Amino acid sequence: MRARHWAEMGESTFVLGIWLLYWVHRLLGRWPFRLCLYPVVFVHWLSRPVVRDASLQYLTRVQAATGAIGHTPGRKDSLKHLVTFAETMLDKLLAVSGRYRFEQVRTEGREQFYEVVKQGKGGIIVTAHMGCLELCRAMAEKRGEVKLHILVHTRHAEQFNRLLKRLNPDSMFQLVEVTDMGPGTAVALEKYVAAGEFVVIAGDRVPVNASQTVDVEFLGHPAAFPVGPYVLASLFKCPLYLLGCIHENGGYTIHFECLAEKVELPRGKRVPALTEHARRYAGQVTALLKRSPFDWFNFFPFWDQANVSARNQE
């Protein structure tokens, strides 16, 4: 697979398609939705070799590293991977619209996290492209105790914000489009954290514009991870949390974990410190994927990305 930045591949899921997906389920229900969905997913899987090969690469490596799948992954597993993603997309829309059955959601570490929230402390939440994180956003909004600002490295944030408002006009959270982590971005985000709010940023995608990354082992192979979440936590002198979501027990499990009460990047040892934080993040993501290996949705050659970032710079 030719190394390409994930952003070069474009967004394969458009707002119109998402909207139709939601209404098929709303009018017909889950099983009729699936009958309509499977042929569409199969055609997409068949016509997108990059997606298909990237899925199989990931599944092969998660099996080799964790044994979670239980056999050598094949093309049927890759197809199952895309079906899981499509079903999760529906759950995202149901969560945003308030139509998901929240009793099917289990949480880990939430109470410890909310204790910090009650003290008025903000922070950085690093997440990943796994499971249905919109469930966490909807639950946080429902409780009214946590305000989240979700950063996305896509130029389609405005479109998605309009879609979210159509699904739920009372929704308070929005996606914030960020193409890099420059000083201007940091200043704007610091105001949120200082106000006791939380900035959510994915730790498993390199920003669109040039940005520092570090190489750490992920599923037995070196991979480039962005350092943005750890740099922000260090600048803001705030805690760093992990938020993950996986399919489990017929529903979802939302996992909260404090990765660091304080992120310190000593002068002269900045890169090793950043690498250690990224390594811990990758290790915790691996632990969640061991429990639910089909829940990671980076459908591009993750380990073979082009060298589009300035790596290991002070």
Side-chain angles (χ1 to χ4, degrees):
M1 291 181 286
R2 184 178 70 85
R4 298 171 64 192
H5 192 290
W6 64 269
E8 293 178 29
M9 301 172 68
E11 295 289 340
S12 60
T13 305
F14 297 98
V15 172
L16 177 60
I18 296 174
W19 192 244
L20 291 174
L21 178 74
Y22 171 76
W23 277 100
V24 166
H25 174 270
R26 185 167 180 179
L27 294 174
L28 301 178
R30 192 101 190 184
W31 276 106
F33 160 79
R34 285 172 173 165
L35 291 176
C36 296
L37 173 70
Y38 292 167
V40 174
V41 172
F42 179 73
V43 170
H44 180 76
W45 176 84
L46 201 62
S47 62
R48 296 291 300 277
V50 172
V51 171
R52 186 172 64 244
D53 294 344
S55 169
L56 190 56
Q57 180 193 55
Y58 157 71
L59 293 173
T60 300
R61 293 184 174 183
V62 77
Q63 167 61 19
T66 69
I69 297 175
H71 58 267
T72 300
R75 296 196 178 275
K76 288 183 179 180
D77 297 290
S78 176
L79 184 57
K80 178 182 176 181
H81 192 194
L82 262 69
V83 168
T84 302
F85 171 69
E87 294 251 9
T88 302
M89 283 297 297
L90 172 62
D91 290 335
K92 290 173 181 284
L93 301 181
L94 295 177
V96 170
S97 65
R99 295 178 177 274
Y100 190 84
R101 295 171 58 188
F102 289 100
E103 62 269 19
Q104 295 179 310
V105 181
R106 174 176 168 268
T107 60
E108 297 174 339
R110 185 181 67 173
E111 294 311 315
Q112 296 92 323
F113 174 72
Y114 274 95
E115 283 300 317
V116 175
V117 171
K118 290 176 182 177
Q119 298 173 27
K121 297 179 180 178
I124 300 296
I125 297 176
V126 58
T127 184
H129 288 79
M130 60 192 301
C132 184
L133 293 170
E134 280 70 14
L135 286 170
C136 174
R137 300 169 186 173
M139 292 173 71
E141 189 173 87
K142 193 174 182 180
R143 290 186 60 155
E145 298 178 7
V146 183
K147 190 166 184 180
L148 305 177
H149 302 273
I150 301 97
L151 307 191
V152 292
H153 299 305
T154 172
R155 295 180 176 87
H156 301 292
E158 185 176 344
Q159 290 179 305
F160 278 95
N161 281 333
R162 287 198 297 266
L163 172 63
L164 296 179
K165 285 298 181 183
R166 291 181 68 184
L167 287 170
N168 185 358
D170 297 326
S171 178
M172 296 299 293
F173 70 80
Q174 292 192 15
L175 305 180
V176 181
E177 188 268 318
V178 176
T179 53
D180 59 38
M181 280 296 166
T185 301
V187 170
L189 298 179
E190 186 175 16
K191 295 178 181 178
Y192 297 140
V193 175
E197 299 166 2
F198 291 83
V199 173
V200 184
I201 181 171
D204 61 346
R205 279 199 182 174
V206 176
V208 175
N209 293 338
S211 183
Q212 183 183 357
T213 64
V214 292
D215 287 343
V216 299
E217 185 175 287
F218 179 55
L219 300 180
H221 298 265
F225 286 87
V227 301
Y230 321 117
V231 172
L232 290 178
S234 174
L235 288 174
F236 303 163
K237 297 179 172 56
C238 67
L240 176 72
Y241 299 94
L242 170 72
L243 172 61
C245 181
I246 55 175
H247 282 90
E248 211 167 44
N249 300 321
Y252 288 93
T253 296
I254 296 174
H255 178 85
F256 294 90
E257 181 177 347
C258 181
L259 292 179
E261 291 287 348
K262 184 178 181 182
V263 174
E264 296 183 346
L265 303 177
R267 182 171 297 181
K269 298 182 180 179
R270 186 172 185 268
V271 171
L274 288 169
T275 302
E276 178 57 25
H277 285 294
R279 185 200 62 76
R280 185 176 183 188
Y281 164 80
Q284 297 309 103
V285 169
T286 298
L288 290 172
L289 293 176
K290 184 176 181 179
R291 293 160 58 178
S292 187
F294 290 94
D295 264 316
W296 197 60
F297 302 135
N298 271 322
F299 292 104
F300 62 92
F302 186 82
W303 287 268
D304 307 307
Q305 295 181 77
N307 186 18
V308 295
S309 300
R311 301 188 180 183
N312 299 331
Q313 296 178 359
E314 289 292 335

